[in-house]
Structures are given as structure tokens and as C-alpha cells.
Amino acid sequence: MTLLTFQLLRRSTSVVKSFNSFQKLRRFTVTTHPAMSSMTVNDLRPHVKEYVLEKAELCKPDSIYICDGSEEEEQQLLKLMEEEGMIKRLTKYENCWLAKTDPKDVARVESKTVICTPNKRDTIPIVKEDVKGTLGQWRSQNELQQDFRERFPACMKGRKMYVIPFSMGPVGSPLSKIGIQVTDSPYVVASMRVMTRMGGKVLDTLGDGEFVKCLHSVGQPLPMEKPPVNNWPCNPAKTLIAHIPDQREICSFGSGYGGNSLLGKKCFALRIASRIAKDEGWLAEHMLILGITNPEGQKKYIAAAFPSACGKTNLAMMNPTLPGWKVECVGDDIAWMKFDSEGKLRAINPEAGFFGVAPGTSMKTNPNAMLTIQKNTIFTNVAETSEGGFWWEGLEDETPSGLTYTSWLDHKNWHKDMLTDTGKKILAAHPNSRFCTPASQCPTMDPAWESSEGVPIDAIVFGGRRPEGVPLVYESFDWKHGVFVGAAMRSESTAAAEHVGKVIMHDPFAMRPFFGYNFGDYLGHWLSMENHQGAKLPKIFHVNWFRKSSEGKFLWPGFGENSRVLDWICRRVDGEDNSKKTPIGLVPTKGSINTNNLEPVDMDAIFDLPKEFWEKEVQSIRTYFDEQVNRDLPEEIANQLNALEERVRNM
């Protein structure tokens, strides 16, 4: 039994030791369905059964159902949700569904996402006085115990508890990890089947091994005081997403939205996994993984980290414009990287699906994503067309005329000029609307995307949306400098307050919301990779597709043309002498980026390094490190910043 649950239940004998004695409590039944799983609690391994019964004693569901991950089970769950009005079939496609959430439950909630460790500094750096920390939120054990006491007791009353055995990564891979999620949401079960490998095979593989414990509830025991909005039960006022890394446990309450309820995603795959990775000597990162093959048939694998709105999924599924080149997708969001016996970092994509942002996705920006989502997909908070199709902003030029639209907020006959009573524009789809779709349907999935040994990483790429000053691509001088480049990542982001406009935000390693432990220790862990015996570390690069001219126009065409930059990166990995040293890193020599058949691009402007810009950049980075990381900043990173400042001074 976990410590916090033990304290919450207030008695050491709260876990019922056998299924039969638990049945005598008559608080719920174990349910099966002729077309669904026949597994029962008694079929679970003792340590899994103990966890499930512990949570059932706490949450008081009416029944328990053990998921087997089968197609029959999925169809029964979809049918159940359709009958309850939680989802609607999109008749234009094969097995596609639309869910519309309560408008108060539409995204990850950073302000209510916490990590609980015995010591605050284990979770977050001690920031400078009078500065608000932005690198995670700590919650004490006493505070979290009180939070739980106010939420979880009897939270599943009247509902069914679903038990989801799932594997992050290919089942049985030495790079994979297993979780057990209990939830009262059939939407979560259906989505987890897409995003993870789940079912009885996972339990067989687990044996008596360790698993990550995942508890989720929508936080609305039956009967509800008020009917749910859009038949979407949630409890926004009490939403809490808590991580207890020492116990390998996640507890989520009050939200049904994917990032808060599909606990295999960011909660497990990044926050908890990054802590496990630190303890075990590997890396869990917010990175895409792609394979790129040149015309000679030579293939390399690249892992790349980008903040939101930087084209991460587009890059993972790119159609290269360079003749004879091929890009294949291993994953679009998360990479787990471990050393193999020869000292090479090998990576897996721990997920089995894509949970992509819908608006902006189109045949122009990402045709492979559009081809992927034509069947077996759950859409959330997008608009619906009169022909039973999906729609969102970005599809204007790809939609037949004569259709009518129903917005995600159920505005009938929606049109682009529709306004609220206060004059605010009404969008057809929520800006964070999503598609949840199987990765196996992507036409460019890499043949080794489910390899149990992972793929060998040849280069790591960091990137951001920087309208000025930062060149198209540069290479770090060495591993330490590369870690500094990741730590100093910044990207343009629209601020929450509209009047502020666009600002440049710090987002180190594109992990700012997802660190599972103190960022200073995280940097130390990255630096320690260099000390691994026989390590053959990948080269590290930084890219910027978004630099603008003085007229505000993009200097680089982006999308498939980014293959030209990847070509240069691959040649650098091979040792080609095609770079020159600058104060910030190694940039391509003139003519070394292939621009054949490319519309004219001002390459001088795209690689210009204004001294005044970089002086300000150094100061911004120094202020950030000083305020947010403070005494926890590793000396090696401080030295890298000092060295950059000196090089810029001498420009």
C-alpha cells in the first residue's frame, strides 16, 4: 500500500487480502460482458490485485472491470458512450468519433499539476527571492494527503472502475515500462487503447515486476447534483494532477481531458519516467524521433525537441522536397533513450498513437497526419460538417462548398464571421482540440518504430520559434555546450493576456511543464551522460525555421524544405568538413546547404548574428538561470554561459 493511501484510509488493514473476502463487503461487483473481457480481479498478480482493491476500497465504485484491450471491448465501450451521449459517430469515416467536453475541461492545467516529494528541492530549484518559480510545482505530503481526503473517498460511487494494464513502449522491450491505471471514464479506456499497448499480454509480461500506479477519476460520483455539460462529467473546481515519484504513482482527479486523464502520456512518459530515467541512467524526453534516408540508402535517426507551435509533428511526418530523400516517423512526441552495450543511445517511442492538435493540420501542412486520421480516430472538441465529417481552422481551402458546420460549442450553421454578444470571434474548433489516432495508420511510420531494442540516435536537435537573431541551424561545440543549448532554449509564444501580444518564453529542452524533478539535477543528469563508459554520444544541433525579415516575412520556406537542413546535419554526423566556427556554435559554410531548385532565399540574412541581439540573449539567459535555477545551476552550465558571453563580447 502506498504511504499516502495508507494515511488516507487511516488503518493498516484497509486492503482486503483476498477477492472472496472483498466480495463480502458487497460494495461492488466484478462485471464481465459476453463480447468483452472475462478477466476478474482474481486473475491479477497479487501485487496488482492489492493495488486495485486498495483503490476500490478508497473510491467505492459499484463494479470493477478488467480491460483486455481487444477490438470487441473497444467497440462495446464506444457503443456505450454513444448511447450515453458522450460521443457521436462521424459517419463520413470508418470508426471515427467526436467527443465534446465541458468547456471548462479543455486542456492540461499546469496550475493544478503538482509533484510530491519529501523535500521541496527534490522537485524544484529554490528560486531567487520574490521570484515566482516556473519549473514545476511542489506539494508537501501533508498538503497532498489533505487534497486526497477532500477528493478521492467514494469518488467513483455509482460508476464502474476500469482497470487498464498498459505498456509504454513495445510489450517486453527492455526499454519499456508498465503501468496499471484505474479510472471511471470509458473515454479514457478507449483513448488509452489507442495511445498505449494494453491488455492481458501486458499483465503476462509484468509478472511480479514493478509497475507505475495510475489512479484517475472524473470526480463526479452518481447521482450528480447537476447534469454534466455535453454529457462530459468532470469537476474543474477540484481538478488535481499529482505525481509521487518516490512511489512511482500518479493520482488525477476532476478532469477527463487527455493530458490530465490519459496518465500514460505526459504524467507517466515524462514526469514520472524522467525521474525513473535519472535513477536508472537513461533519458525520458519531450522529443520526436524520425528516420532519414539519403539517396544512397544511408539511414540516420534524429531525436528533436520543440516547444508548442514549432511544427514538431510536421517534422516527424515530413515529406522531403529533396529528390531521393525519405523521412519516416518513429514518434512525434516522446523519446526514451538508453545506452546499448556499445555505448550508443537507442530510442523508443513509448506511445502507440498520436494525440495531435487538430487546428492547423491540413493536407498542405501535414498530409501524412491527415491520411492517418481517416479511420479509427477519436476527435475531441472539433467542429462537425453536415456530411458527418470533422472540421477545424486550417481546412478552409480543402473543404467542399455547400457544407454547413456545427461548432465545438454546438453553434449551428457556424460561419467564420460569427461573433459572441461581446464581439469576440467564435472559432469552429477549440484551439486545443485533438485527434487520437493509431500510429500504425501513418503511411510514413518507420519499419523499426516498434523495435524492442530501439533505434540508434545519431543527432539530437533543439529548436524554437525565433523571429530574429537565431540562425537557421548551428551545431554545438561539444556535449557540454549542447546541454547548455538545450537549457537556454527560448521560443515565441502568445501570452495569455491578449494585450501583451507575443513574447519570447524560456522553455528548456521543451520540457518546462514536464520535469519530474529539480531542473538543476536534470541538467546534471544530462551532463553525466558523457561519463557513461564507452559512450558514443550523438551530435547536438539547434534549428530555427521561423526567422523573419525586417518586413516581417519568413526567410525560410519550412515544411518539406527543412529536409535541406537535415541533409546538412546528416553530413556533419558523417564528419564532413562543411562548418565554420562562430561565437554561438558551428554554422554551415557558404553553399554547404543544398539550395538546388529552391526559391531564392537570403542565406546571408538567415545566418546573420547581430552582436546587439546576442548581447541581450546572453543577459536574458543569465537572468533566467539566476532567478529560476539559482544555486542549483551546475557549474558546467554556468561556465558555458560565461564562455558564450566572452565570445559575443569579442564579436
Side-chain angles (χ1 to χ4, degrees):
M1 181 188 298
T2 61
L3 174 62
L4 285 167
T5 303
F6 174 83
Q7 292 170 332
L8 185 59
L9 294 176
R10 291 176 171 267
R11 63 184 190 274
S12 61
T13 58
S14 61
V15 178
V16 183
K17 296 299 182 181
S18 74
F19 178 55
N20 291 333
S21 60
F22 192 75
Q23 275 189 315
K24 291 177 183 177
L25 294 175
R26 298 181 182 276
R27 291 198 174 136
F28 61 84
T29 59
V30 178
T31 62
T32 60
H33 187 283
M36 296 170 70
S37 169
S38 59
M39 287 192 293
T40 71
V41 177
N42 239 8
D43 297 319
L44 302 175
R45 291 281 187 168
H47 64 319
V48 178
K49 179 165 71 172
E50 179 176 313
Y51 173 70
V52 171
L53 298 185
E54 172 191 304
K55 297 311 177 190
E57 170 75 352
L58 172 66
C59 300
K60 305 287 193 295
D62 274 13
S63 60
I64 294 178
Y65 174 78
I66 314 296
C67 301
D68 66 7
S70 66
E71 177 65 28
E72 294 80 8
E73 177 180 84
E74 178 85 347
Q75 290 305 311
Q76 287 292 330
L77 287 168
L78 293 169
K79 181 180 179 182
L80 169 68
M81 287 189 283
E82 184 180 30
E83 291 171 350
E84 293 181 349
M86 194 175 188
I87 62 173
K88 181 180 181 181
R89 188 184 297 271
L90 292 175
T91 55
K92 183 179 178 181
Y93 317 103
E94 177 188 344
N95 196 34
C96 286
W97 304 84
L98 172 60
K100 294 181 180 180
T101 73
D102 185 316
K104 294 179 180 178
D105 188 25
V106 295
R108 283 185 296 105
V109 190
E110 283 188 37
S111 62
K112 299 180 179 182
T113 301
V114 302
I115 296 176
C116 176
T117 51
N119 301 305
K120 185 175 183 178
R121 202 169 176 181
D122 292 338
T123 295
I124 54 176
I126 306 304
V127 299
K128 200 169 183 179
E129 191 174 352
D130 298 326
V131 170
K132 179 177 171 56
T134 61
L135 291 165
Q137 290 198 100
W138 177 75
R139 199 82 171 145
S140 73
Q141 291 182 341
N142 287 339
E143 290 171 324
L144 194 60
Q145 181 184 340
Q146 181 61 32
D147 292 335
F148 283 8
R149 192 177 288 127
E150 294 170 357
R151 289 166 172 80
F152 285 105
C155 64
M156 295 185 184
K157 183 181 177 183
R159 298 189 183 276
K160 181 177 294 184
M161 173 188 277
Y162 298 93
V163 180
I164 308 170
F166 66 97
S167 176
M168 299 302 293
V171 178
S173 165
L175 285 77
S176 299
K177 297 291 182 184
I178 286 174
I180 304 292
Q181 176 163 348
V182 296
T183 179
D184 53 7
S185 168
Y187 171 89
V188 167
V189 181
S191 300
M192 285 287 284
R193 183 178 182 272
V194 175
M195 295 305 302
T196 71
R197 292 89 172 168
M198 61 177 271
K201 188 177 179 182
V202 175
L203 289 172
D204 294 340
T205 302
L206 174 64
D208 296 323
E210 183 184 72
F211 62 91
V212 173
K213 308 169 189 71
C214 305
L215 166 64
H216 169 258
S217 173
V218 295
Q220 288 288 2
L222 296 174
M224 291 178 60
E225 293 180 3
K226 297 180 181 178
V229 178
N230 290 333
N231 294 305
W232 182 269
C234 60
N235 192 341
K238 288 194 171 183
T239 293
L240 178 72
I241 302 94
H243 307 73
I244 313 166
D246 288 348
Q247 296 170 188
R248 309 297 197 236
E249 185 166 13
I250 306 159
C251 300
S252 174
F253 182 94
S255 172
Y257 167 77
N260 304 324
S261 64
L262 310 184
L263 300 185
K265 279 201 63 62
K266 301 298 197 295
C267 295
F268 181 163
L270 290 178
R271 296 190 191 97
I272 294 294
S274 65
R275 168 61 189 279
I276 296 174
K278 175 179 179 290
D279 294 345
E280 296 180 354
W282 50 281
L283 297 169
E285 300 300 325
H286 190 206
M287 293 181 175
L288 66 88
I289 311 168
L290 63 82
I292 182 166
T293 307
N294 69 13
E296 290 73 43
Q298 298 167 332
K299 187 168 192 174
K300 291 181 173 57
Y301 287 96
I302 296 172
F306 294 89
S308 60
C310 290
K312 190 177 173 192
T313 300
N314 294 347
L315 182 63
M317 301 182 186
M318 182 209 303
N319 285 331
T321 54
L322 280 179
W325 285 76
K326 179 168 64 173
V327 167
E328 293 167 300
C329 179
V330 177
D332 77 325
D333 195 34
I334 296 169
W336 287 359
M337 296 181 283
K338 299 183 182 181
F339 286 107
D340 64 15
S341 59
E342 298 180 355
K344 185 93 171 178
L345 279 177
R346 285 189 168 266
I348 61 166
N349 166 18
E351 299 186 302
F354 302 125
F355 189 68
V357 175
T361 305
S362 66
M363 289 301 293
K364 177 182 178 182
T365 62
N366 194 335
N368 290 317
M370 292 297 291
L371 294 172
T372 302
I373 61 178
Q374 298 297 311
K375 61 181 180 180
N376 303 320
T377 300
I378 301 171
F379 297 88
T380 303
N381 290 340
V382 304
E384 181 185 5
T385 70
S386 52
E387 62 176 357
F390 56 74
W391 199 88
W392 49 74
E393 281 70 17
L395 294 178
E396 291 85 351
D397 298 333
E398 301 174 11
T399 308
S401 59
L403 297 179
T404 58
Y405 305 89
T406 301
S407 79
W408 78 282
L409 288 173
D410 212 33
H411 295 100
K412 309 297 183 184
N413 297 310
W414 174 90
H415 56 85
K416 63 182 179 65
D417 298 319
M418 187 174 282
L419 303 174
T420 65
D421 294 340
T422 58
K424 188 176 180 180
K425 185 175 181 180
I426 295 174
L427 297 175
H430 187 276
N432 195 44
S433 55
R434 298 280 174 157
F435 53 79
C436 180
T437 193
S440 59
Q441 295 179 180
C442 178
T444 59
M445 286 310 285
D446 192 274
W449 84 276
E450 291 195 287
S451 166
S452 63
E453 32 314 319
V455 297
I457 298 299
D458 299 292
I460 291 173
V461 176
F462 298 117
R465 180 180 284 266
R466 301 301 303 271
E468 59 176 318
V470 179
L472 177 63
V473 60
Y474 64 95
E475 178 187 337
S476 69
F477 296 126
D478 53 32
W479 183 259
K480 287 186 179 68
H481 181 231
V483 175
F484 167 77
V485 169
M489 278 175 61
R490 303 175 73 210
S491 188
E492 184 181 67
S493 176
T494 302
E498 290 183 353
H499 64 275
V500 175
K502 293 190 174 181
V503 295
I504 305 297
M505 306 287 289
H506 290 270
D507 193 353
F509 292 79
M511 280 280 287
R512 188 196 57 75
F514 309 123
F515 292 119
Y517 60 100
N518 185 308
F519 174 52
D521 294 337
Y522 171 92
L523 289 173
H525 182 57
W526 264 79
L527 291 167
S528 75
M529 295 294 106
E530 203 170 25
N531 301 326
H532 183 87
Q533 187 173 4
K536 300 172 184 175
L537 294 168
K539 285 179 174 288
I540 298 179
F541 300 82
H542 187 284
V543 299
N544 175 29
W545 320 127
F546 302 99
R547 191 160 179 175
K548 294 182 179 179
S549 67
S550 55
E551 293 80 32
K553 296 181 179 179
F554 288 116
L555 290 169
W556 182 251
F559 300 108
E561 303 296 0
N562 294 336
S563 57
R564 300 172 185 272
V565 176
L566 298 187
D567 164 35
W568 181 81
I569 288 173
C570 289
R571 286 184 280 126
R572 285 297 301 153
V573 170
D574 285 337
E576 185 173 311
D577 183 12
N578 59 5
S579 70
K580 64 178 182 179
K581 188 174 181 179
T582 74
I584 69 166
L586 305 172
V587 301
T589 52
K590 196 174 185 66
S592 62
I593 287 187
N594 183 347
T595 57
N596 292 341
N597 301 313
L598 182 67
E599 293 293 317
V601 171
D602 188 343
M603 299 299 280
D604 291 334
I606 214 167
F607 283 103
D608 183 40
L609 301 176
K611 181 176 181 177
E612 183 179 358
F613 170 89
W614 279 96
E615 287 173 335
K616 292 179 180 177
E617 186 77 358
V618 167
Q619 190 53 50
S620 295
I621 297 167
R622 186 174 297 283
T623 300
Y624 182 74
F625 286 170
D626 184 42
E627 292 182 348
Q628 294 292 331
V629 197
N630 203 354
R631 291 170 293 168
D632 291 317
L633 187 72
E635 183 180 0
E636 296 94 329
I637 301 301
N639 292 341
Q640 289 291 332
L641 178 57
N642 292 336
L644 173 62
E645 185 175 47
E646 181 66 20
R647 293 192 299 267
V648 169
R649 184 182 298 120
N650 295 326
M651 285 175 73

